[in-house]
Amino acid sequence: MDTTQPVLHFVLISGFLDSFNPCAIAVLLLFIALLFTLKKSHAVILTTGLLYIAAVYLSYLAIGVGLLRVVNLFGVPHLISIIGAWIVIVVGVWGLKEYFFPDKFNILTIPISSRQIIAKWATKATYPTAFIAGILLGVFEFPCSGAIYLATIGLLNAQATFLKGLVYLLLYNLMFVLPLLVIMFLASNRMIVEKMINLDEGNSGKLRL
């Protein structure tokens, strides 16, 4: 029985689902809006956005590779898969609770303090700060959006070698940043960016749901 195709499909779909993260989208749109305000050229805007997306990709990939290496060391793949599945279930139920019964104790959103740190770097709108903001975003968003990632890593640990798992993680993270790439290339003028920002702000709760 060939398990390669089901695993590949699971990885691609999971990465795409994990990509609908309001925080990553909001920071990218903030960058683009600032660069338009500063009257930067389209080439500069594109380069800055791509640097941010590359940093998000690399930081999230590094987290995944580290976790995959750790769970490989345990040598109990099915136990890791079961733990990952239960984490997804618990986080999913809590996410429903946060959407339908919101209160001050929300664990599935990036804390205000972390958002302020990311925004501090983002508002400088330079190549280095775009890269730093992307790295920070990848690190800070993992605790609130990493349940799907953990389940995927648990599956890879059970179904693939470490090297195959690494290839799958490369694909997973490509799907993870795909919406950011689409937004980057769609944001060709300031009016479109402003509409995207309003759309993101008005639907962030639904995206998390």
Side-chain angles (χ1 to χ4, degrees):
M1 180 178 178
D2 181 16
T3 60
T4 303
Q5 285 298 104
V7 172
L8 177 61
H9 294 159
F10 179 85
V11 168
L12 294 177
I13 293 170
S14 297
F16 187 66
L17 289 174
D18 198 8
S19 70
F20 289 97
N21 188 293
C23 299
I25 295 172
V27 174
L28 176 61
L29 292 173
L30 171 63
F31 264 125
I32 298 172
L34 279 171
L35 293 169
F36 271 121
T37 302
L38 295 172
K39 302 188 185 310
K40 298 293 184 180
S41 67
H42 189 267
V44 170
I45 294 173
L46 183 63
T47 303
T48 304
L50 290 176
L51 279 171
Y52 166 76
I53 294 169
V56 172
Y57 179 92
L58 291 173
S59 61
Y60 219 60
L61 175 64
I63 292 171
V65 172
L67 288 172
L68 183 62
R69 194 63 186 164
V70 169
V71 297
N72 259 263
L73 295 175
F74 281 99
V76 281
H78 295 294
L79 176 61
I80 299 296
S81 299
I82 291 170
I83 292 172
W86 275 108
I87 289 174
V88 171
I89 292 170
V90 171
V91 171
V93 171
W94 190 269
L96 291 173
K97 175 262 172 196
E98 286 190 0
Y99 181 80
F100 292 106
F101 305 100
D103 57 29
K104 294 181 180 180
F105 188 63
N106 294 327
I107 63 171
L108 300 184
T109 57
I110 297 179
I112 297 293
S113 58
S114 299
R115 287 186 229 174
Q116 289 172 340
I117 294 172
I118 296 170
K120 176 184 175 182
W121 287 100
T123 50
K124 295 180 181 180
T126 64
Y127 291 159
T129 57
F131 195 81
I132 291 171
I135 291 174
L136 292 173
L137 194 284
V139 173
F140 287 149
E141 77 175 341
F142 176 74
C144 60
S145 70
I148 298 175
Y149 207 11
L150 285 172
T152 303
I153 290 168
L155 176 69
L156 294 179
N157 185 56
Q159 299 288 334
T161 63
F162 178 77
L163 289 178
K164 283 187 178 180
L166 178 58
V167 174
Y168 282 130
L169 285 181
L170 291 171
L171 294 172
Y172 180 99
N173 283 281
L174 181 60
M175 297 302 294
F176 181 71
V177 299
L178 183 61
L180 296 179
L181 289 169
V182 171
I183 290 171
M184 181 70 248
F185 288 106
L186 285 178
S188 57
N189 64 62
R190 190 168 181 171
M191 289 184 64
I192 293 176
V193 173
E194 289 175 355
K195 288 180 180 179
M196 285 183 173
I197 290 174
N198 292 332
L199 188 65
D200 179 62
E201 289 178 349
N203 294 278
S204 60
K206 293 178 181 176
L207 279 175
R208 282 194 292 271
L209 179 62

